[in-house]
Amino acid sequence: MSNGQWYPPEWPDRIRALASGELTPVAPKRAATVMLLRDTPDGGPAVHMLRRRASMAFAGGAYAYPGGGVDPRDDRPVRWAGPSLESWAARLGVDDTASAQAIVCAAVRETYEEAGVLLAGRTPDTVVGAVGTADADAADADAAGDDDGEGWEADRQALVDRELSFAEFLDRRGLVLRSDLLGAWARWITPEFEPRRYDTWFFVAALPQGQQARNVSTEADHTVWIRPVDAAAGYDKGELLMMPPTISTLRALTAFPTAGTALVAAGEQDLTPVIARAALVKGEIVLSWPGHEEFTKRIEPAAPGRTAEDEDGR
């Protein structure tokens, strides 16, 4: 391939199976991911990215943002600050406030689980400081009566292990979820021919002052702060592997000089779901993402002796 577009070798066979009626699409699971930004002195903000472990069944080796699936408990009532759930439901295009809360909650929770960054505060207009550090633990002990002051990391791990819901975590810490620190940016749905399907909302957020992102994801073997323009250049050279929604959102972020301007612009972004379409034209597969022509791939039928791995669209 000439660029870093992630492309599973099994897709051609699955696309043909879907076209012939031999494959039944699975329902996509709801998910959320966050483009965490911080300003740099070099011009333009940097975004926090994870490189998924090569052993991962889905998009192994690809660069992505912190994120993951909605937990069934993410719709439990939480301490909430920012826009109302009704306004979030309208913005996200969902029918009920419980779904809206679950999606936003998943975005905040996954950012904490995978990057150690917490978009929450003790009041609706504050944000916690350097969560997970010794200083923060000591300060938290003083504020919350925590005997040992070393519970932040244990709580984060309990969230990862699904032993603790995010609502319970916020209550335990006396925190409110700061939904106003997030801006909804895009929505992409995994193609019907992929067995691991997600209906994913992409959010943008600025790194809270005093906090640092950490490589705490069990799904990543490397993390980096990188300017969107540099990440996009790496993709174009074939050096950085990415899924279409990742490189698409990165290209959009290159237009903004600061994290703050990107967050303000989130309200103007189109949240119409993007889903790949596949058509068979005289045996050739034409794979496209409506509105994103750069990702269109044409896959010729495999020649005798040729394997699916050889069908790379060239």
Side-chain angles (χ1 to χ4, degrees), residues 142-156:
D142 291 340
D146 198 354
D147 290 336
D148 57 14
E150 300 176 350
W152 280 102
E153 184 58 24
D155 282 354
R156 191 196 64 80

Side-chain angles (χ1 to χ4, degrees), residues 81-292:
S84 68
L85 288 173
E86 289 78 11
S87 64
W88 271 112
R91 176 67 179 133
L92 299 176
V94 295
D95 295 330
D96 59 276
T97 56
S99 294
Q101 182 198 289
I103 295 164
V104 174
C105 188
V108 176
R109 176 180 52 74
E110 287 285 344
T111 302
Y112 184 47
E113 289 181 11
E114 296 203 333
V117 172
L118 185 57
L119 304 175
R122 301 206 176 278
T123 64
D125 57 356
T126 62
V127 179
V128 291
V131 275
T133 67
D135 290 344
D137 287 337
D140 189 66
D142 291 340
D146 198 354
D147 290 336
D148 57 14
E150 300 176 350
W152 280 102
E153 184 58 24
D155 282 354
R156 191 196 64 80
Q157 189 59 50
L159 288 169
V160 172
D161 297 336
R162 298 297 180 262
E163 297 172 355
L164 186 69
S165 73
F166 201 61
E168 292 169 331
F169 167 73
L170 293 176
D171 284 342
R172 175 180 297 186
R173 293 286 165 182
L175 300 173
V176 295
L177 184 155
R178 289 285 306 277
S179 76
D180 56 311
L181 299 180
L182 288 167
W185 193 271
R187 181 181 178 184
W188 288 66
I189 301 176
T190 312
E192 292 182 334
F193 43 81
E194 168 60 44
R196 295 162 290 266
R197 299 191 66 207
Y198 299 94
D199 183 355
T200 305
W201 281 262
F202 286 71
F203 295 85
V204 66
L207 179 70
Q209 185 175 4
Q211 293 194 36
Q212 294 182 349
R214 298 181 290 135
N215 183 8
V216 290
S217 173
T218 58
E219 299 179 357
D221 60 11
H222 177 67
T223 63
V224 64
W225 282 101
I226 186 170
R227 293 190 309 159
V229 65
D230 295 331
Y235 168 90
D236 290 335
K237 295 175 184 177
E239 297 172 352
L240 301 182
L241 186 67
M242 298 182 202
M243 293 173 278
T246 308
I247 181 60
S248 173
T249 50
L250 273 174
R251 293 203 197 284
L253 288 174
T254 61
F256 302 99
T258 65
T261 55
L263 187 58
V264 170
E268 302 172 1
Q269 303 305 307
D270 184 4
L271 291 192
T272 302
V274 179
I275 182 171
R277 303 297 182 191
L280 284 173
V281 182
K282 296 181 180 181
E284 179 185 59
I285 295 173
V286 179
L287 181 59
S288 62
W289 280 258
H292 300 269

Side-chain angles (χ1 to χ4, degrees), residues 20-109:
S20 66
E22 300 173 12
L23 178 67
T24 301
V26 300
K29 299 178 180 179
R30 284 177 169 170
T33 188
V34 176
M35 300 178 288
L36 191 63
L37 303 175
R38 74 177 185 189
D39 291 327
T40 72
D42 302 323
V47 62
H48 182 69
M49 303 192 76
L50 321 170
R51 185 177 64 194
R52 295 172 59 83
R53 294 184 183 277
S55 59
M56 297 292 293
F58 185 79
Y63 280 80
Y65 312 116
V70 171
D71 187 302
R73 302 170 298 176
D74 282 336
D75 63 359
R76 292 184 179 179
V78 298
R79 299 166 181 254
W80 187 269
S84 68
L85 288 173
E86 289 78 11
S87 64
W88 271 112
R91 176 67 179 133
L92 299 176
V94 295
D95 295 330
D96 59 276
T97 56
S99 294
Q101 182 198 289
I103 295 164
V104 174
C105 188
V108 176
R109 176 180 52 74

